[in-house]
Amino acid sequence: MNRKIKAILTITIGTSMLTFGGSDASMQTNRQADGTTTRNSNTSADMIGNLSTDEFERVNAEGQRAVAAIAPTSGALSKADQKLMTEVAMGGMMQLEVSRAALEKVTSPEARLLAQSEVEEQTGVAAKLREIAAAKGFTLPAAPDPKTAALISKMNGVSGNELDVFYIRESGVNGHEKLQKVMTKVQSKATDPSMKSLAAATLPVIRVHMQVSRAEVAKKSGGNNRNNSARK
């Protein structure tokens, strides 16, 4: 008597569960006690850019732990540090909102991994920024700027591999170039210790995300990663 072979394989490891159904890619994240996340992924990608996915995840986890461990200092921010904190917050909000929107549409495992990692990273950074700002009596911007909505609108106009390349180029490459620039400025010019700690915690992750994104754009666009940015 023939028995039906189930198309869904469920693997339970400790308290974590991964579910594979057909060819669909699913992803679950677990929130840890220290505020970091670990991801159970059945993505078919063993590599992301020029890194293994394991190494990529290790860098992300270390960055999350470093951000979560920052203890805000008291004392008012200087005008220059207020401006820097606002720049960091606005850049992070753009990355967060664009990546959230991308998760609704991107198709490749690599693009999904980049988008999910960016959501996790920027969610943690935004929470820490709010904590630092509250300790200093400073009010951060509550919403992203109009450029964010315009970029999401452009992203919604493409699909498939074109969408994946668009997102990785705009967020993974261009977005991280801007974040690296502002965080490097924070590292060298800020006087507030909390802000300097945030720059030290995030710059390694920013550089890795930028590095793998450049490699992914090159792969997904046939080696040509010199296309003009769609965001002007």
Side-chain angles (χ1 to χ4, degrees):
M1 182 176 178
N2 293 331
R3 299 176 62 185
K4 292 183 178 179
I5 300 175
K6 291 183 178 180
I8 298 177
L9 170 63
T10 301
I11 302 176
T12 305
I13 305 174
T15 58
S16 300
M17 181 175 288
L18 301 180
T19 301
F20 297 75
S23 60
D24 292 340
S26 63
M27 194 176 290
Q28 295 179 347
T29 60
N30 299 320
R31 180 65 61 178
Q32 303 302 302
D34 62 359
T36 66
T37 58
T38 58
R39 186 181 302 106
N40 297 324
S41 173
N42 64 317
T43 174
S44 61
D46 294 321
M47 300 287 294
I48 178 76
N50 49 8
L51 288 182
S52 69
T53 53
D54 286 345
E55 177 64 12
F56 181 73
E57 296 282 25
R58 183 191 65 77
V59 171
N60 291 334
E62 286 183 356
Q64 289 179 51
R65 284 193 290 271
V67 169
I70 294 170
T73 56
S74 59
L77 292 169
S78 68
K79 292 293 185 182
D81 283 357
Q82 288 178 17
K83 183 178 179 181
L84 285 171
M85 183 180 279
T86 300
E87 281 188 60
V88 172
M90 295 305 293
M93 276 194 284
M94 174 176 276
Q95 289 288 93
L96 179 58
E97 295 307 316
V98 169
S99 296
R100 280 175 173 165
L103 276 174
E104 301 283 330
K105 296 185 67 180
V106 291
T107 57
S108 71
E110 298 85 2
R112 286 194 61 79
L113 180 55
L114 281 165
Q116 184 64 45
S117 297
E118 193 65 19
V119 168
E120 291 167 8
E121 178 196 3
Q122 294 303 332
T123 298
V125 170
K128 185 57 64 175
L129 275 174
R130 289 193 297 271
E131 189 181 341
I132 294 171
K136 298 173 180 301
F138 180 63
T139 302
L140 289 169
D145 61 26
K147 291 180 181 179
T148 301
L151 182 57
I152 291 173
S153 178
K154 289 181 180 179
M155 188 169 65
N156 287 337
V158 293
S159 60
N161 184 67
E162 186 180 359
L163 167 64
D164 293 350
V165 172
F166 181 93
Y167 166 69
I168 297 172
R169 181 186 297 118
E170 293 301 317
S171 173
V173 180
N174 297 342
H176 282 96
E177 285 176 350
K178 292 181 178 180
L179 288 179
Q180 179 177 243
K181 183 177 180 180
V182 68
M183 282 302 191
T184 299
K185 190 161 41 172
V186 169
Q187 193 174 52
S188 63
K189 295 185 177 181
T191 57
D192 180 71
S194 302
M195 290 295 292
K196 283 187 173 292
S197 295
L198 188 65
T202 56
L203 274 169
V205 180
I206 290 169
R207 290 176 184 129
V208 167
H209 281 211
M210 186 165 57
Q211 169 190 328
V212 299
S213 295
R214 285 172 175 160
E216 282 298 325
V217 168
K219 285 193 293 186
K220 294 182 184 304
S221 57
N224 178 19
N225 64 348
R226 296 182 179 276
N227 298 318
N228 291 328
S229 169
R231 185 178 66 214
K232 299 294 184 183

